[in-house]
């Protein structure tokens, strides 16, 4: 299994209160990209953990076949079980990350449908437009 590599802390897009159309689209794009990257990394982690669990199970059988102390067989089997359970949870986390990425793409498309044309109109004007809520 590969070594875990620390990643820089922080959100993929700053929560800076900038709610302009293009800024929101960019934040949604970055969020979806980060989620898709994490999905790939979680898949690799899942496969590695599943492989290690299978290797530990094989080692437990080998230890039992070598007629070593039964507590080592039990401990090795427990490691295999724990790794298998952790792999299942990593798989669930990967599925959640992928689902969230898909929903983020859908949100970005919906946002573009609702506000894209309005942004085109507003950004192509030379005159300033009123701030949101002005006519309320």
């Amino acid at each position: 299994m590969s070594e875990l590599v620390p990643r820089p802390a922080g959100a993929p897009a700053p929560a800076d209160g900038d709610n302009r159309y293009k800024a929101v689209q960019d934040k949604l794009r970055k969020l979806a990209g980060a989620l898709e990257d994490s999905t790939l990394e979680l898949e690799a982690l899942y496969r590695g953990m599943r492989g290690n669990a299978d290797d530990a199970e094989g080692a437990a059988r080998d230890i039992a076949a070598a007629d070593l102390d039964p507590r080592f067989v039990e401990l090795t089997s427990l490691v295999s079980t724990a790794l298998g359970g952790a792999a299942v949870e990593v798989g669930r986390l990967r599925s959640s990350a992928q689902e969230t990425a898909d929903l983020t793409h859908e949100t970005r498309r919906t946002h573009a449908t609702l506000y894209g044309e309005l942004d085109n109109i507003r950004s192509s004007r030379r005159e300033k437009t009123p701030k949101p809520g002005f006519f309320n």
Side-chain angles (χ1 to χ4, degrees):
M1 187 169 138
S2 64
E3 294 297 315
L4 295 177
V5 179
R7 295 175 59 112
D16 55 10
D18 185 0
N19 294 325
R20 293 173 299 138
Y21 172 78
K22 288 179 178 70
V24 171
Q25 285 288 305
D26 189 51
K27 289 175 191 176
L28 288 170
R29 182 187 53 75
K30 286 180 182 178
L31 176 60
L35 287 165
E36 287 172 346
D37 290 346
S38 70
T39 299
L40 296 174
E41 291 176 13
L42 287 167
E43 180 63 29
L45 179 61
Y46 169 80
R47 289 175 191 233
M49 291 179 92
R50 189 70 251 157
N52 286 342
D54 293 343
D55 291 345
E57 183 180 340
R61 280 194 304 270
D62 292 344
I63 291 170
D67 204 25
L68 295 176
D69 193 330
R71 71 181 163 156
F72 296 120
V73 175
E74 181 181 352
L75 289 172
T76 308
S77 291
L78 288 173
V79 168
S80 173
T81 302
L83 282 169
V88 168
E89 296 305 318
V90 168
R92 288 182 183 157
L93 182 59
R94 187 208 59 79
S95 294
S96 293
Q98 184 60 55
E99 181 181 349
T100 306
D102 293 343
L103 289 170
T104 303
H105 285 299
E106 183 180 332
T107 301
R108 186 169 182 248
R109 285 189 300 272
T110 301
H111 182 259
T113 300
L114 293 173
Y115 299 107
E117 286 302 313
L118 179 61
D119 181 66
N120 286 339
I121 292 168
R122 291 187 74 194
S123 59
S124 63
R125 286 185 184 168
R126 287 187 291 162
E127 302 84 16
K128 290 180 84 173
T129 57
K131 292 183 179 182
F134 172 78
F135 295 109
N136 290 341

